[in-house]
Amino acid sequence: MNPILILSGKGKTGRRVAAQLDARGIPYRLASRSSERRFDWYDESTWADAVRGTDTAYLAPPVGPTGLAQAGRFVEQADGLRRVVLLSGRGVGSPGRDFAVYDGQLELENVVKASGRDWTIVQPAWFAQGFSEDFLRYHVLAGEIRLSTGTGGEAWIDTDDVGDVMTTALLDESYVGQTLAISGPRTLTMTEIADELTTATGRPIKYVDLDPEAHVAELTEQGLTPEDASAVGDLFTVIRNHRSEYVSDGVERVLGRAPRDFTDWARETAATGIWAG
């Protein structure tokens, strides 16, 4: 079989999909700026060579409006691809909800659906691994989670569960034409997250609720572009506005088991020493 193309293959989900395919002996091709066949979302001259010889792709698009638009252009130009599995965001396109902050993701979903290719879209909740593999790890180490989520909750999901769902969607044609919303088993506010991490690490961790504008300013100071900082801030605003306080059953439907609970994830993650300082 042709190798499965994994775009953003060094990211949190791409690495897990690659590990799952490795375990099953299924060929794949990681495509990134540093891969043998270089792939850059912002350099269209790298796209054709990355795709050549593949017919199925896993897309984890860049953050922000420009990155999402580039991912749409890639889908439109990717000659030879028969099947696309897209990582999107939970709540995109939900009827009766004000998800204006998801406009770019909704547009990308629509491009994928209109591409003429077989498609599956996976819409996960926020990743628990954001606290261990992303910028929120430094908040945990500092003992202060500084975000703008207010009292809103989110059904945080273990990224290992995301990788398992993605791999199944890539390999099982029965998911063609489906949008799969997936989440953890319960919603947690950021104050509850801080309490969970305090218990797991044995160190006091508190939640500091920022004004949304102040939060975007801090994200910019941490190195995000103003555009990307605003996009990330808008996503946290979805939580602040209590738009994420629901559980999705996609993990159970696809994998036939319950998703991993945040408490179990935090305890096992703390044991690795990632938050030891």
Side-chain angles (χ1 to χ4, degrees):
M1 63 182 296
N2 291 329
I4 293 174
L5 178 64
I6 305 177
L7 299 174
S8 301
K10 295 187 176 181
K12 285 189 287 296
T13 57
R15 295 199 313 273
R16 288 167 168 84
V17 171
Q20 286 284 346
L21 296 176
D22 253 339
R24 302 179 193 202
I26 295 171
Y28 63 88
R29 177 186 301 162
L30 296 179
S32 68
R33 291 177 182 176
S34 58
S35 60
E36 182 177 353
R37 295 196 189 192
R38 181 174 174 271
F39 177 85
D40 185 338
W41 287 109
Y42 303 98
D43 182 356
E44 297 183 18
S45 69
T46 67
W47 294 356
D49 191 47
V51 172
R52 191 171 294 112
T54 69
D55 57 22
T56 300
Y58 168 57
L59 273 65
V63 173
T66 300
L68 292 168
Q70 284 297 101
R73 288 177 58 82
F74 169 81
V75 171
E76 292 172 335
Q77 296 179 26
D79 293 338
L81 281 188
R82 176 187 61 84
R83 176 134 165 70
V84 172
V85 175
L86 172 69
L87 174 69
S88 188
R90 200 167 64 123
V92 173
S94 297
R97 296 177 181 269
D98 179 14
F99 281 109
V101 297
Y102 286 133
D103 283 350
Q105 287 177 301
L106 178 58
E107 183 175 349
L108 176 56
E109 287 192 7
N110 288 337
V111 168
V112 168
K113 292 176 180 179
S115 67
R117 312 178 202 284
D118 293 341
W119 58 267
T120 305
I121 296 170
V122 180
Q123 299 178 329
W126 276 81
F127 299 157
Q129 275 80 354
F131 295 99
S132 62
E133 299 179 16
D134 213 333
F135 71 99
L136 293 176
R137 174 175 177 254
Y138 302 101
H139 292 222
V140 178
L141 291 172
E144 285 190 351
I145 302 174
R146 301 175 60 83
L147 297 174
S148 55
T149 58
T151 60
E154 171 65 65
W156 303 83
I157 188 169
D158 182 350
T159 314
D160 287 345
D161 286 341
V162 180
D164 289 349
V165 169
M166 291 294 186
T167 303
T168 301
L170 282 164
L171 299 177
D172 189 338
E173 297 282 342
S174 69
Y175 293 104
V176 169
Q178 293 193 38
T179 297
L180 306 170
I182 60 176
S183 78
R186 60 189 173 118
T187 62
L188 292 164
T189 67
M190 203 58 64
T191 297
E192 291 169 330
I193 290 288
D195 290 343
E196 291 275 355
L197 293 173
T198 294
T199 299
T201 63
R203 295 187 292 105
I205 297 168
K206 64 179 181 179
Y207 169 54
V208 178
D209 184 30
L210 298 176
D211 175 84
E213 290 186 4
H215 185 202
V216 171
E218 286 199 7
L219 290 170
T220 304
E221 290 171 4
Q222 292 162 9
L224 291 184
T225 66
E227 180 187 74
D228 288 350
S230 293
V232 172
D234 284 348
L235 292 174
F236 280 113
T237 298
V238 172
I239 301 177
R240 187 181 189 89
N241 291 344
H242 303 276
R243 299 291 195 171
S244 289
E245 290 176 345
Y246 62 99
V247 171
S248 301
D249 67 354
V251 173
E252 291 96 333
R253 288 198 295 116
V254 175
L255 302 179
R257 62 167 176 80
R260 193 180 188 192
D261 188 78
F262 190 92
T263 298
D264 297 330
W265 172 82
R267 182 182 63 251
E268 294 177 22
T269 301
T272 69
I274 193 71
W275 295 312

